Amino acid sequence: MQADVIGAGTMGRGMAALLRDAFPRWTVRLIDRDMSALTAARDAWGCEILCTDQPQHAGLAPVVICAATWPVTLGVIESLAGRGARGLLVSISRPANKDMPRVQQALIQAPTLAVVLPCGLEPGLTEILACYLLESTQEVQSLRMCCGGIVVPRPANPLGYKRLFGTSHLPLAKRDAYCIRDGALCVVPRFSDVQQLAWPDIGVLEHWHDGMQPRLLEYPKLSRPGANVDQRTLRWTGHAEVVALLHHLGVLAEDAVDRDTGLTSKQLFERAAQRTLGLAEGEQTVTLLAIDLAGLRHGRRHMHSLRLNFTDRPDIRSMALATCLPVIFLINCLISAGNAVSGLHYPENIITPRTTPGLLRWLAHQGVEITMDRSGDDAERIAGLGWSKLDSVPPRL
């Protein structure tokens, strides 16, 4: 079997390394336009490489993982579909909502092509685990999902933040975010409703509104009156306050301030802060995911919480692990099943609540720290969660 990974950034390199570990008999090829990044990956992991800025025109493998920007991913999907390709494409990029009709239309031409997107930490793993916890309750009152990558110990800069993806872009733009209130989709400002969360052995963090996939409203338990859902980002305390100050001063404005270059205030700030906010050699990162569910089961109060802690490996950063490991597991599920899957899928449609315990056992086997707590008046064992078997050895990929 051969697999192609498009994109040689932090995520793509991590994906190539994990593919080689999980499927040692596969041929893994890394595709990018940056020859230096490709050469470094080849020297480190022995993967094959292809240098091109038009991956959509390359002869791609039956399994394709896109760890590139959404426009690149969309071009690859349309090219594969136009050729009636057979196989599987998994993307970690969030698709633009306006482009989804194009994806669906393209896949009509390729009945033997399966596309799963987006699959990574958020969205992807977060939705998979949220659906898993939803099985434990009958009536949802609140579902809160928080995730984020941080440097430990806290960086000395005012934001308490470092760029974990290796790019100059900073995720500080003001935009609308979604939440669910009383079973209805609502729009709220990003960085609003700042709250704190104490994480054992890490410290006190803060979280705020940041995103949420509107498709969560398609789940009946979340669209009923009384259900409230938030999806939030975790950072060190004080981060949102500094971001608000930068916005107030106009530092993060998106309109051009230099007619000659067309650069915006935010781009100038990103350039000025590149060294300060870049990861230094030896700095350690952790990526954290917390999901808390409260509701009713058999008319009794029921609460469920799940915590995942990803830590750096010598050659793979924690954020890349959190993003790439679910992709590897998903690919293994589809390959092992041997069933013909085609069309557009979301990760939670592939890794269902019934198979999620296997994912959790495998993540634990990969060194991910996982804790789960359940409390409430209903002490009945929840069928299908299978948490008591977490310590068993998972099947090899």
Side-chain angles (χ1 to χ4, degrees):
M1 180 73 76
Q2 179 175 327
D4 284 332
V5 179
I6 299 175
T10 301
M11 298 300 173
R13 296 194 304 271
M15 199 75 72
L18 292 173
L19 277 172
R20 291 301 302 268
D21 289 344
F23 307 104
R25 296 185 180 182
W26 285 23
T27 299
V28 178
R29 181 173 62 171
L30 191 58
I31 302 174
D32 200 281
R33 62 182 180 182
D34 185 344
M35 191 62 192
S36 61
L38 291 173
T39 302
R42 180 184 60 193
D43 294 344
W45 299 300
C47 57
E48 296 185 1
I49 61 174
L50 173 63
C51 186
T52 178
D53 61 356
Q54 295 185 316
Q56 70 274 21
H57 298 315
L60 295 174
V63 175
V64 177
I65 301 173
C66 282
T69 61
W70 170 245
V72 172
T73 301
L74 178 60
V76 173
I77 293 173
E78 291 184 324
S79 178
L80 289 174
R83 287 180 274 170
R86 176 190 300 269
L88 169 66
L89 181 143
V90 183
S91 169
I92 69 171
S93 300
R94 294 190 186 202
N97 290 333
K98 65 180 179 62
D99 290 333
M100 291 309 295
R102 286 177 59 181
V103 174
Q104 293 167 335
Q105 183 62 35
L107 291 176
I108 294 175
Q109 308 173 64
T112 56
L113 177 64
V115 171
V116 183
L117 56 89
C119 186
L121 172 61
E122 182 190 41
L125 180 60
T126 304
E127 283 71 21
I128 290 169
L129 298 180
C131 292
Y132 171 62
L133 292 192
L134 286 174
E135 291 293 298
S136 69
T137 191
Q138 294 171 323
E139 183 178 336
V140 175
Q141 296 174 327
S142 67
L143 173 64
R144 187 184 69 184
M145 301 164 282
C146 303
C147 71
I150 62 172
V151 175
V152 288
R154 177 193 173 110
N157 66 69
L159 282 167
Y161 173 79
K162 290 292 186 79
R163 293 178 290 105
L164 304 187
F165 291 94
T167 64
S168 61
H169 173 72
L170 295 175
L172 305 178
K174 268 201 169 183
R175 54 172 169 76
D176 290 334
Y178 293 109
C179 68
I180 293 175
R181 290 291 177 267
D182 200 23
L185 191 67
C186 299
V187 176
V188 291
R190 189 186 189 194
F191 298 109
S192 64
D193 189 22
V194 180
Q195 299 180 27
Q196 292 189 346
L197 174 68
W199 198 288
D201 301 322
I202 298 290
V204 179
L205 306 170
E206 68 180 24
H207 54 84
W208 63 83
H209 286 297
D210 190 9
M212 199 190 81
Q213 292 296 300
R215 72 171 184 269
L216 286 175
L217 202 57
E218 298 174 5
Y219 292 89
K221 291 182 181 180
L222 302 182
S223 59
R224 295 172 183 167
N228 298 293
V229 183
D230 292 334
Q231 195 152 343
R232 295 162 166 266
T233 289
L234 285 167
R235 292 286 184 264
W236 287 110
T237 54
H239 182 90
E241 183 179 4
V242 176
V243 171
L245 175 61
L246 293 173
H247 276 294
H248 180 72
L249 295 175
V251 174
L252 304 180
E254 298 283 359
D255 52 321
V257 295
D258 189 317
R259 291 184 178 181
D260 295 331
T261 64
L263 290 173
T264 67
S265 296
K266 182 173 182 289
Q267 289 171 330
L268 290 172
F269 172 70
E270 288 171 339
R271 290 190 177 190
Q274 190 162 0
R275 179 174 298 179
T276 303
L277 300 183
L279 271 176
E281 187 174 352
E283 282 189 307
Q284 298 298 304
T285 75
V286 298
T287 298
L288 309 170
L289 172 58
I291 304 178
D292 295 295
L293 173 70
L296 298 175
R297 181 174 174 83
H298 303 311
R300 299 177 179 178
R301 178 75 167 172
H302 177 81
M303 301 181 68
H304 221 134
S305 67
L306 179 62
R307 300 285 187 272
L308 275 70
N309 184 332
F310 297 81
T311 56
D312 289 342
R313 292 185 186 178
D315 56 345
I316 307 176
R317 287 290 187 181
S318 65
M319 186 68 79
L321 285 170
T323 302
C324 300
L325 283 172
V327 176
I328 304 299
F329 187 85
L330 182 143
I331 291 173
N332 182 69
C333 288
L334 292 175
I335 297 297
S336 299
N339 297 326
V341 178
S342 62
L344 176 62
H345 300 271
Y346 296 118
E348 62 268 29
N349 301 142
I350 304 296
I351 307 176
T352 64
R354 183 175 294 275
T355 56
T356 300
L359 168 65
L360 289 170
R361 288 192 295 270
W362 184 69
L363 290 176
H365 190 66
Q366 297 295 315
V368 180
E369 182 181 325
I370 304 173
T371 57
M372 178 183 282
D373 293 309
R374 184 167 69 88
S375 61
D377 298 327
D378 183 4
E380 178 185 347
R381 178 176 173 79
I382 307 302
L385 292 183
W387 190 247
S388 62
K389 299 180 180 179
L390 177 64
D391 294 330
S392 63
V393 178
R396 288 185 60 84
L397 288 180

